[in-house]
Amino acid sequence: MNIKIIFCSFFVFPLLQNNILCLVVGSESAVSIESFVEFPGSDSDNTILGFAKMDEGFALQNYLTSCTYNALYPVTGLINLKGGTLYLQRDLAFDGLSSIESIGNISGQGNIIDFSTTMTKLIFDKGVPVPDLVFQQENNASIYTLDWSFDGKYLAVGFEDDPDVFPYMLRVYYFDGLTLTLTGSWDMDAGGFDRIECVRWHPSLYFLATGKQDGSAGGFDLATFKFTPEIGEFSNVFQLEDTTKRSLSWDPAGNFLIVQGYSITEIQIFSFDSGTGVLSVVDTVDRSPNRNPYGNNCIKWSPGSDYFAVGFLKSTTGGENELDIYYFDGATITDTGLGANLDLHVSAIDWSPTGSFIAVGIGSSGVSRLRVYEHRVWNGTLVEIFALSDLDFRPRSIQWSEDGNRLLVSSLTVSGDTEVRLYNFDKATGTLTLLRELEMSTYQWDIRWTPNNDFFATGGMTGLISVYTDLRPEACLEDLTIRLAADLELSTTLQIKGLCTIDGGNRKLIFGSDGILSLQPSSTLKLKNLNLEGLGSNIRCLTEDCSIEIENVKIAFSQDFTQTMGSLMFSGDNFISGTSQFVLGNSRANTLASNSRIEIGSGVTFSYDPLIPNQNLFFLTDETSQLYLNDCTFYVTKTGLNLSNGKLMINGNTRFSGEGMIPSEGIYFNDDLSVDIGPAANIELVSGYLTIIE
């Protein structure tokens, strides 16, 4: 055995030396037989060198682990990538005693993996449906607010101040994907009992705005700080002594900061000088009688920065809205008159970054605590579209994901209930469905996503900072060829990047219930010498510049398949069977190559339904391109289809059907298309038009 453990020393701000364990296995000059190795999770250069014989397999510690494979010999034993990344500098072969317990990311760099005869299933164990804990840190003071920087590298945390135990109310931590490291701190205490009510990073710069409880004179009730990560400088650039400032929200462009506070001027909008970090008042709103916020997440801009939603404590007179929508034109705040008179405390608000949906938390008891409203600008209304039935769940912080499909909520709950919840949001129906939840055993005052939604942090009454990931990274193949030695069942999602090939050697690729091949932008997937079973919507192109190349493949559809993105290229001899629809519904050309053939078998409906009005998106390259319709249905939408070049063969009971109301919207067989009708063929024109030009 030849294993080198290397401590790679480098500096990570704030100028603390870190020792990261690097594991190098094998040698470049002498053969070594290696036992099972688990490579540690780090950003270091874990490597399997040229003359290493991995005789008992290997594993990666977690999804953050990477390893470079550069060995000459086949690998034996158990392989468990655990979502981590394996880089290939050579071809990799598995022998007959190998198995893959869980896949991850494989960057092939143009190399080949030869599967063994014992590799018959690909899975990716994502664990139980609970967010994974990445890091926790205990503190001696309660946490009321926290927020991630625009790049997700820094977490700002606001604490309750206790000069004798925990004197620094504002702290900033560096996050490397695994741990938090204290980077900077600031003491805003002026002699009284204070706490940071709200902290929010600028959406694109290293500036930080804070609002503080007004516990003493001379305090930083509203302040901005400039952070310079290169040198670790953390400095105050603006402060305002005023009443308590409890809720803050930057507009998406970072030009304005809206502030919600106590007493006379409950709402203030400040302009922001991106050079100096100084705030200047633009306009204010004075609600009379005084309308104070319930919590520190009660005001939020709309995506376009022209509206904002604000929530208040329950009205003492009973005639005032607790939820209001205001309009802002860059200079003046205008009450739109839209809102909700709930007769309840509004405890949290967030406006979906993708549209008109507003999530609202309710702090009063005995009612639906989580609601979703829709701001319908087109008809000037605010409509409640969803109310959660859980009466014990008391939201304190709410945040939508960037795509508006998920909602993260922290709460103050009764004993035995969960304080952190993640919901899925169906935009079509306007409903929330619980995805995951966490029992934290104490109040959670604030919760925030990283900007890419890979991680979230939560903090609460006990002073515990917790960072979780709900990323559940998908497995990925990049610039890689896989050659099968046995039938393979795919039971996970595999992302495809670059140019990837799966060569089955005339074996089966079986799509399990969770089996998906997802082509990432600008990617190409080649499927060759395969029998595809269980195929429906399991192969997906994310963008138009993706392509799927099919060569010598037998496809058995178990459900309808619609190609809506990217393009298809058929080469070699291909056969399509099943009882489902095969729909060309994309907007790019789909090609049958030279010296190639597609047979559409019994029970299949071949449908031409392009996204754009183009009759020429199914292209036969030349006279050696053969389309064989055998006892199937050939369906064309109102767009029509123009077939030319190549050869069309018809056999069995073949039906032609179209939506066209005139011949130009029908099916055209041009004079350069050779049509061969078999002696046992029975052709039926069910609807539409079929024109044969001789």
Side-chain angles (χ1 to χ4, degrees):
M1 180 182 295
N2 191 339
I3 297 179
K4 299 177 182 178
I5 299 175
I6 301 174
F7 287 90
C8 303
S9 299
F10 57 95
F11 288 90
V12 174
F13 189 81
L15 303 182
L16 296 176
Q17 184 168 310
N18 289 269
N19 293 318
I20 303 299
L21 189 66
C22 308
L23 193 59
V24 178
V25 177
S27 167
E28 294 288 11
S29 58
V31 176
S32 61
I33 308 299
E34 306 293 343
S35 58
F36 180 82
V37 175
E38 181 176 82
F39 291 94
S42 69
D43 294 331
S44 59
D45 297 328
N46 295 315
T47 306
I48 302 174
L49 294 176
F51 286 98
K53 176 66 171 72
M54 306 304 295
D55 216 32
E56 296 180 5
F58 62 90
L60 306 184
Q61 185 178 20
N62 54 42
Y63 71 95
L64 294 172
T65 309
S66 64
C67 179
T68 298
Y69 179 86
N70 194 23
L72 296 166
Y73 300 105
V75 173
T76 304
L78 178 69
I79 312 301
N80 193 345
L81 300 185
K82 299 182 182 179
T85 302
L86 183 66
Y87 296 96
L88 300 186
Q89 290 189 346
R90 298 180 190 265
D91 294 347
L92 169 59
F94 295 106
D95 70 14
L97 299 177
S98 299
S99 63
I100 297 179
E101 182 171 296
S102 181
I103 198 168
N105 304 299
I106 303 177
S107 177
Q109 303 183 86
N111 290 297
I112 300 170
I113 292 183
D114 284 309
F115 277 21
S116 69
T117 56
T118 55
M119 291 180 170
T120 58
K121 191 170 185 177
L122 278 186
I123 64 172
F124 181 31
D125 183 9
K126 301 182 182 182
V128 297
V130 175
D132 294 324
L133 179 64
V134 177
F135 179 81
Q136 278 189 332
Q137 176 177 293
E138 295 182 354
N139 299 281
N140 294 326
S142 295
I143 297 167
Y144 281 88
T145 180
L146 44 76
D147 195 32
W148 294 98
S149 60
F150 66 92
D151 53 6
K153 293 181 179 180
Y154 297 92
L155 180 69
V157 183
F159 294 89
E160 188 173 76
D161 185 33
D162 186 339
D164 297 326
V165 179
F166 200 84
Y168 295 102
M169 298 166 62
L170 177 62
R171 299 192 172 196
V172 174
Y173 299 86
Y174 171 72
F175 182 61
D176 63 2
L178 287 174
T179 60
L180 292 173
T181 303
L182 182 62
T183 299
S185 59
W186 196 271
D187 183 10
M188 289 184 282
D189 179 41
F193 178 80
D194 294 333
R195 68 175 180 229
I196 301 289
E197 292 282 356
C198 190
V199 56
R200 293 293 178 255
W201 284 98
H202 187 276
S204 60
L205 301 171
Y206 283 126
F207 282 97
L208 193 63
T210 62
K212 189 179 70 66
Q213 183 187 48
D214 185 35
S216 59
F220 293 63
D221 297 320
L222 177 65
T224 56
F225 296 83
K226 183 177 182 180
F227 177 60
T228 308
E230 296 84 0
I231 60 175
E233 184 176 284
F234 186 58
S235 56
N236 172 237
V237 292
F238 171 83
Q239 61 169 300
L240 175 69
E241 182 184 349
D242 201 357
T243 58
T244 294
K245 305 303 179 187
R246 197 161 199 193
S247 225
L248 311 176
S249 178
W250 293 96
D251 80 297
N255 296 322
F256 298 97
L257 179 72
I258 190 167
V259 179
Q260 186 184 22
Y262 284 178
S263 303
I264 300 173
T265 52
E266 292 95 341
I267 301 171
Q268 298 169 292
I269 292 183
F270 294 82
S271 64
F272 174 72
D273 187 321
S274 61
T276 64
V278 173
L279 300 175
S280 302
V281 175
V282 176
D283 199 9
T284 64
V285 173
D286 178 14
R287 296 289 297 263
S288 180
N290 292 340
R291 302 297 309 283
N292 295 331
Y294 180 93
N296 58 0
N297 288 283
C298 289
I299 200 161
K300 187 67 178 182
W301 290 94
S302 69
S305 303
D306 45 358
Y307 294 93
F308 62 88
V310 58
F312 300 99
L313 288 166
K314 177 181 175 180
S315 170
T316 57
T317 63
E320 296 280 338
N321 289 343
E322 284 79 21
L323 173 64
D324 274 320
I325 305 296
Y326 288 88
Y327 174 76
F328 180 64
D329 62 4
T332 304
I333 302 171
T334 303
D335 190 343
T336 65
L338 300 179
N341 187 351
L342 304 172
D343 199 28
L344 303 165
H345 299 313
V346 171
S347 58
I349 285 176
D350 197 30
W351 201 312
S352 172
T354 63
S356 56
F357 299 108
I358 304 169
V360 177
I362 303 297
S364 303
S365 61
V367 296
S368 298
R369 301 299 188 93
L370 182 59
R371 306 182 184 190
V372 178
Y373 291 81
E374 184 174 12
H375 180 220
R376 298 174 178 173
V377 179
W378 62 91
N379 63 7
T381 59
L382 181 70
V383 180
E384 181 184 303
I385 60 173
F386 179 82
L388 185 70
S389 59
D390 189 341
L391 304 185
D392 293 325
F393 184 62
R394 295 185 286 167
R396 186 56 187 255
S397 182
I398 296 173
Q399 191 179 20
W400 293 97
S401 60
E402 284 301 304
D403 59 9
N405 293 329
R406 292 179 293 167
L407 187 68
L408 191 60
V409 187
S410 70
S411 76
L412 320 180
T413 61
V414 297
S415 177
D417 212 338
T418 52
E419 290 83 15
V420 172
R421 297 186 184 182
L422 177 63
Y423 292 89
N424 179 74
F425 181 64
D426 187 324
K427 296 174 184 174
T429 62
T431 56
L432 292 171
T433 305
L434 182 64
L435 292 176
R436 317 188 197 285
E437 55 186 333
L438 287 169
E439 169 62 53
M440 303 294 291
S441 301
T442 186
Y443 291 175
Q444 297 299 297
W445 296 106
D446 207 358
I447 193 165
R448 306 294 289 177
W449 292 106
T450 53
N452 60 8
N453 300 150
D454 287 351
F455 302 90
F456 64 85
T458 182
M461 182 171 290
T462 62
L464 186 69
I465 304 173
S466 302
V467 179
Y468 291 87
T469 179
D470 193 61
L471 177 61
R472 298 294 196 278
E474 304 293 354
C476 178
L477 307 180
E478 183 175 8
D479 295 322
L480 176 69
T481 294
I482 291 179
R483 296 194 295 217
L484 305 184
D487 295 344
L488 180 70
E489 179 182 345
L490 179 64
S491 297
T492 189
T493 295
L494 278 181
Q495 294 183 354
I496 303 298
K497 294 183 179 180
L499 172 59
C500 291
T501 300
I502 302 177
D503 187 341
N506 297 318
R507 298 173 180 87
K508 295 179 182 179
L509 177 59
I510 304 164
F511 288 86
S513 57
D514 296 322
I516 295 172
L517 294 173
S518 176
L519 277 70
Q520 304 304 294
S522 305
S523 297
T524 297
L525 173 64
K526 291 185 178 181
L527 299 171
K528 59 187 298 185
N529 306 320
L530 281 165
N531 296 330
L532 300 181
E533 294 187 359
L535 185 62
S537 58
N538 318 71
I539 303 179
R540 305 169 183 174
C541 294
L542 294 187
T543 56
E544 287 289 2
D545 56 357
C546 296
S547 60
I548 301 171
E549 299 181 9
I550 298 174
E551 179 182 346
N552 297 324
V553 174
K554 295 179 181 178
I555 302 174
F557 286 117
S558 62
Q559 55 183 301
D560 292 347
F561 174 86
T562 302
Q563 180 72 12
T564 57
M565 287 281 189
S567 63
L568 289 173
M569 163 74 84
F570 290 90
S571 61
D573 194 2
N574 304 279
F575 177 67
I576 299 175
S577 64
T579 57
S580 304
Q581 293 190 65
F582 172 40
V583 184
L584 294 181
N586 54 349
S587 60
R588 292 186 62 195
N590 305 286
T591 306
L592 178 57
S594 300
N595 299 305
S596 300
R597 163 182 161 126
I598 304 174
E599 178 179 344
I600 311 294
S602 177
V604 177
T605 296
F606 175 89
S607 178
Y608 184 78
D609 183 16
L611 288 175
I612 59 176
N614 190 324
Q615 297 183 342
N616 302 292
L617 295 180
F618 183 41
F619 180 70
L620 280 60
T621 302
D622 57 32
E623 66 275 5
T624 65
S625 308
Q626 299 180 4
L627 176 61
Y628 183 19
L629 306 181
N630 186 10
D631 198 30
C632 65
T633 298
F634 196 89
Y635 184 85
V636 176
T637 61
K638 192 175 180 180
T639 296
L641 173 63
N642 188 355
L643 281 181
S644 58
N645 303 322
K647 184 175 183 178
L648 175 66
M649 297 177 290
I650 304 174
N651 202 9
N653 296 316
T654 297
R655 295 156 297 280
F656 291 89
S657 180
E659 297 178 358
M661 303 300 293
I662 55 177
S664 63
E665 296 173 345
I667 303 169
Y668 270 81
F669 295 161
N670 284 309
D671 56 0
D672 56 356
L673 179 71
S674 172
V675 180
D676 184 356
I677 301 176
N682 179 26
I683 300 176
E684 179 184 1
L685 181 60
V686 178
S687 61
Y689 290 85
L690 174 61
T691 302
I692 301 176
I693 302 175
E694 299 181 346

